[in-house]
Amino acid sequence: MSSHASLDLSGRIALVTGATGGIGGAIAHTLIAHGARVVLSARNAERLATLSDTLREAGLTPLGTLAYDLQDATAISTALKSFAAEHKRLDILVNAGGQMQDAPLGMISAAAIDQTLQVNVAATLHHMQYAARLMARQGSGSIINIASIVGLVGSANQTLYAASKAAIVGATRSAAKELAPKHIRVNALAPGFIDTALTAHYTPAVRDKVIAGIGMGRAGTAEEVADVALFLASDLARYVTGQVIGVDGGMLL
């Protein structure tokens, strides 16, 4: 390791969407613990307030909160404009907001398609655009998108979710090529089976079957995903862009 590169994020301003979710919350916690000034974003203001209190009890103070719905493009625009006006810069963007609606082909509703693509894809694109503008001003930045192993290899009954996460992979790689000359790095994480609220509805039988297909023989934790996000946010990853890093314990689908 070179002497000047580290995991220290002191003085850097970050925005984490989906901060009240398992992975988003863990990433926010980890970034703050390493010195970043983090604005927490999610749909539910009460849950954001609870998260802020929990972080403060752990000795970690978030920079602020922003409550808005990722399905609402106007709300996203308003929130990001207020963020830019207040903080003037953005060093780290983590697009962790997302949803998963499992359904077999033939049973996927039009509403589910619209909602999933809006939250998982369109909202990520909106945030990337605002981040690119702010980061271009300062000539640096790190954008971290949350994809999924399902978006890389597919999974039965998850065609909609897989399509949305595959879109994130394509967007990440394209944006990385476009923004590299501006020294803005764009990478994605592709988590496997992680113990969060998103996977809590699995029955014990389904859960056991999934874990049987994981090389390391266990589910992952949100903190393990957060550690890789920390690496991508830091100067240790200063020459890493356009990558989709699996955090899946050797999962086979």
Side-chain angles (χ1 to χ4, degrees), residues 27 31 34 43 51 101 106 149 153 157 170 180 183 198 218:
I27 290 174
L31 294 183
H34 285 81
R43 182 176 54 191
L51 173 62
Q101 298 187 52
I149 186 176
V153 298
N157 300 317
H183 306 287
L198 208 61
R218 64 173 177 83

Side-chain angles (χ1 to χ4, degrees), residues 115-202:
Q115 192 177 55
T116 298
L117 295 182
Q118 183 62 45
V119 171
N120 292 5
V121 184
T124 295
L125 292 172
H126 289 312
H127 283 80
M128 287 172 70
Q129 294 207 97
Y130 271 89
R133 287 183 207 140
L134 278 173
M135 292 174 175
R137 290 182 198 168
Q138 70 219 25
S140 66
S142 175
I143 297 173
I144 301 163
N145 296 324
I146 306 298
S148 168
I149 186 176
V150 173
L152 295 173
V153 298
S155 178
N157 300 317
Q158 290 194 312
T159 298
L160 172 57
Y161 182 69
S164 73
K165 292 302 186 178
I168 296 306
V169 171
T172 297
R173 289 180 169 147
S174 296
K177 290 180 177 179
E178 186 174 331
L179 299 177
K182 298 175 182 176
H183 306 287
I184 300 168
R185 299 181 295 103
V186 189
N187 295 286
L189 299 179
F193 186 71
I194 309 297
D195 265 329
T196 66
L198 208 61
T199 55
H201 65 282
Y202 284 48

Side-chain angles (χ1 to χ4, degrees), residues 15 41 66-68 73-85 127 130:
L15 173 64
S41 152
L66 276 173
Y68 56 95
T74 304
I76 292 172
S77 177
T78 301
L80 294 179
K81 282 175 184 169
S82 72
F83 177 96
H127 283 80
Y130 271 89

Side-chain angles (χ1 to χ4, degrees), residues 16-29 38-55 64-68 70 94 96-98 196-198 222:
V16 178
T17 75
T20 55
I23 288 175
I27 290 174
H29 184 287
V38 179
V39 174
L40 310 168
S41 152
R43 182 176 54 191
N44 188 308
E46 288 180 11
R47 289 182 64 192
L48 277 172
T50 301
L51 173 62
S52 295
D53 291 344
T54 302
L55 286 166
T65 60
L66 276 173
Y68 56 95
L70 293 180
V94 181
T196 66
L198 208 61

